[in-house]
Amino acid sequence: MDGATIEDGEMKLFERKQAIYKSLDEKYLVHGQRYKGQQYSQIYFARLHHLRNLLHSLVTKWKPHLEVITVLGLEESRECVIVGTIYKHMKLKPCILDEYSKERTAVPLVKPHNFLHPDDQLILEDEIGRVKLRGSLLNPTDFVTGIGLALHGMKTIEGDFLVQDLLEAGFPPQTKLPRLGEDKYVVFVSGLNVGSNIFNPLQFQLFVDHVTGHLGGDNEQKMTSQIVRVVIAGNSVIIPHSVLNGQALTPEDQRKLTEPIKEVDILLTQLAAAVPLDIMPGPTDPANSFLPQQPLHRCLFPGASSYNTFFSCTNPHQFELDGFQFLGTSGQNIDDLDKYSSAQTKLEFVERTLRWRHLAPTAPNTLGCYPFTEKDPFFIENCPNVYFVGNQDKYETVLLHGPEEQQVRLVCIPRFSESGVAVMLNLRDLNCHALNFSADLDS
Amino acid sequence: MASSDIKDFFRQKKRGVSKKPSSSSRKNSGKSSIGTICLPEPTDTPALIAHGKFDLQDFKGDGDEKLRQFDMEMRYGPCVGLSRLERWERACSMGLNSPPEIGNLLRSLSGSNPKLECLWEGRV
């Protein structure tokens, strides 16, 4: 817990700083739910209800002279506002029925990374009906299925809705930012991918030694003693797919399956002994595949879970540290947005989810999700101070300022196994910088 | 399930007249011939009878009618997959002004009453 160094016969001891942690993962836990055979219409209803209430209150300020009507109440050439969920009809979206259809015209044999097509159309849906959206204001490449919007326009002769203006839910409200007098750092890392052939154990060991304060001189140790938490945002382990071919497992295969997680446990024990640690599951981790992913079981980490500084968290993960609100995912929501819409940078996708007030609008359409009946847990009620996304291609960050003085630091955490980069965030001023670890002995 | 009704559908003993083996006589049941076993009409789906929901006979009072209207009301969301009471409670917690008499009606019913489930329970 402390970094000690002997200098001129004097023992310099740096005490690690502490921060008050509160986990807000309650709404992402599924254990209280009972599956009764319900379908996804329930979660869409909960989402529509929430977003509609929100948008109704915003529309009165946005277009006070227009009335809000339902989709079935549309009349031709009458300006009005409609509120609903967007559905994007995509030609190239993979559909199970394509495998059975005789003609294979639009679907290429090689699945593209991105399923956009110039013919994609947007449709607005509420509980009772849907209407096609027209107009140059709405560019289908910027939207995905599942967003709640309010649209101002009028019905055309063909029965479509010509959009003149649109309103998104906007940034959620934020509680006032606390003021910290001293530097306190949170370290984010993701995509360790232990068990893959790109994992370099020396590189991660370097990271662990650095964070626990076993490296460097006084200055480095002073800095690392200010690290109050480490958050591992998914994909810590990768199960070699060659083992999962449906055959019975030989003892050697069983060893191949369990070795990566044992290795992670050894490394996490070293980390947990020194600093409070949050671990989130990712797409390749041994957790359920649909969102919200449940916490990795403690039996996977026999060594690390014996420490009370070890916290296994859900994905998405929400917590409070010294009054600062953190919200983050292991990347599935942003990666799915990348497949069905386009933007300049990944940060733009992250910003869009914040403006739409929904972490994963494409769930359950293209992103697996639990069929909740009473609530939609991905709805962002309060604006976080830090919004992080793991397992991205590169490190990117921006500090956003909302219309009501909200301040959010968006962070895209790169995959550690590929880049060797971890992210360090200073709570005092929400500044971010990258920690580069290189174990390349040649360069 | 309908296991108790199977014995009513399929006669357990062959009638003395026919000398054909029982399996082929069951196959010929659709055609009307003497000494064959009668199966129910194809239009009577087993699911209706198995769950005991005799719609036409059960239509007493407008309590049923009110519950059906509650199911159909799109304002309270989709009705399939939830019991009626759960859907009513959800509507309450969402502030949708669900009529309290439906809640009282549902709470007064016993645990296994088919009126507790929505109209399409077991049929979709």
Side-chain angles (χ1 to χ4, degrees), chain A residues 97-354:
Chain A
L97 299 175
D98 290 339
E99 289 180 33
Y100 298 99
S101 75
K102 297 274 183 344
E103 31 133 312
R104 289 159 194 264
T105 45
V107 182
L109 284 173
V110 178
K111 295 286 177 192
H113 153 78
N114 188 295
F115 299 107
L116 291 172
H117 192 272
D119 288 343
D120 291 337
Q121 280 182 347
L122 290 179
I123 298 169
L124 189 84
E125 219 180 78
D126 66 8
E127 287 130 341
I128 316 177
R130 44 159 59 178
V131 67
K132 255 196 221 153
L133 301 175
R134 294 247 178 269
S136 50
L137 188 71
L138 280 187
N139 188 357
T141 54
D142 296 337
F143 295 92
V144 285
T145 302
I147 312 164
L149 289 181
L151 300 173
H152 161 220
M154 64 170 91
K155 185 171 165 181
T156 63
I157 307 169
E158 295 102 29
D160 301 335
F161 190 80
L162 182 67
V163 179
Q164 289 159 343
D165 202 358
L166 78 93
L167 176 70
E168 292 167 332
F171 278 47
Q174 190 181 65
T175 49
K176 198 158 185 308
L177 210 64
R179 288 224 164 276
L180 262 194
E182 44 179 5
D183 285 337
K184 276 190 187 176
Y185 291 95
V186 178
V187 173
F188 295 99
V189 71
S190 84
L192 303 177
N193 288 323
V194 177
S196 73
N197 46 11
I198 47 172
F199 170 65
N200 186 346
L202 192 58
Q203 205 177 32
F204 192 60
Q205 189 62 55
L206 205 63
F207 169 82
V208 170
D209 287 341
H210 174 80
V211 168
T212 54
H214 289 112
L215 290 180
D218 273 357
N219 285 337
E220 282 83 33
Q221 288 182 334
K222 184 158 194 300
M223 194 167 206
T224 57
S225 70
Q226 293 167 336
I227 296 177
V228 290
R229 200 157 199 97
V230 172
V231 177
I232 301 184
N235 282 359
S236 317
V237 141
I238 202 163
I239 311 287
H241 276 248
S242 56
V243 187
L244 302 172
N245 54 6
Q247 309 281 336
L249 290 177
T250 64
E252 198 195 292
D253 284 346
Q254 279 182 3
R255 226 179 320 118
K256 265 200 219 163
L257 271 184
T258 55
E259 290 239 324
I261 199 79
K262 282 193 200 155
E263 214 176 319
V264 172
D265 186 37
I266 294 172
L267 295 163
L268 291 187
T269 314
Q270 295 173 34
L271 261 186
V275 66
L277 175 64
D278 276 357
I279 179 160
M280 291 163 59
T284 62
D285 284 322
N288 53 310
S289 64
F290 52 79
L291 289 186
Q293 283 185 293
Q294 300 303 291
L296 293 165
H297 203 281
R298 324 168 18 112
C299 69
L300 292 168
F301 307 107
S305 56
S306 54
Y307 286 95
N308 69 349
T309 48
F310 178 78
F311 293 85
S312 184
C313 312
T314 56
N315 168 32
H317 181 35
Q318 198 173 340
F319 62 97
E320 200 183 291
L321 201 60
D322 267 357
F324 285 86
Q325 307 288 330
F326 285 73
L327 176 64
T329 66
S330 300
Q332 291 107 319
N333 56 337
I334 302 300
D335 290 340
D336 207 53
L337 280 184
D338 197 15
K339 284 192 216 159
Y340 296 97
S341 62
S342 79
Q344 303 278 357
T345 62
K346 290 286 177 80
L347 280 179
E348 237 185 273
F349 288 126
V350 183
E351 189 186 337
R352 282 180 196 171
T353 61
L354 205 55

Side-chain angles (χ1 to χ4, degrees), chain B residues 18-114:
Chain B
S18 166
K19 290 213 176 72
K20 294 178 202 159
S22 51
S23 52
S24 61
S25 65
R26 254 189 237 130
K27 274 190 222 154
N28 291 331
S29 62
K31 313 166 195 156
S32 53
S33 40
I34 307 163
T36 51
I37 296 170
C38 300
L39 282 178
E41 298 299 316
T43 47
D44 276 353
T45 53
L48 274 175
I49 301 169
H51 283 266
K53 285 189 186 177
F54 295 98
D55 266 5
L56 296 171
Q57 296 162 17
D58 212 0
F59 194 48
K60 19 185 173 219
D62 59 353
D64 242 14
E65 186 59 33
K66 271 200 196 141
L67 288 176
R68 257 178 243 154
Q69 291 296 334
F70 174 65
D71 273 351
M72 286 285 89
E73 188 76 38
M74 269 301 110
R75 231 170 359 124
Y76 309 122
C79 64
V80 183
L82 287 188
S83 76
R84 276 172 174 162
L85 188 59
E86 278 169 357
R87 184 160 170 263
W88 185 84
E89 275 165 4
R90 178 180 77 178
C92 271
S93 63
M94 282 186 174
L96 292 167
N97 297 328
S98 45
E101 64 256 18
I102 295 190
N104 295 332
L105 181 62
L106 289 169
R107 273 194 276 257
S108 65
L109 295 172
S110 66
S112 56
N113 195 319

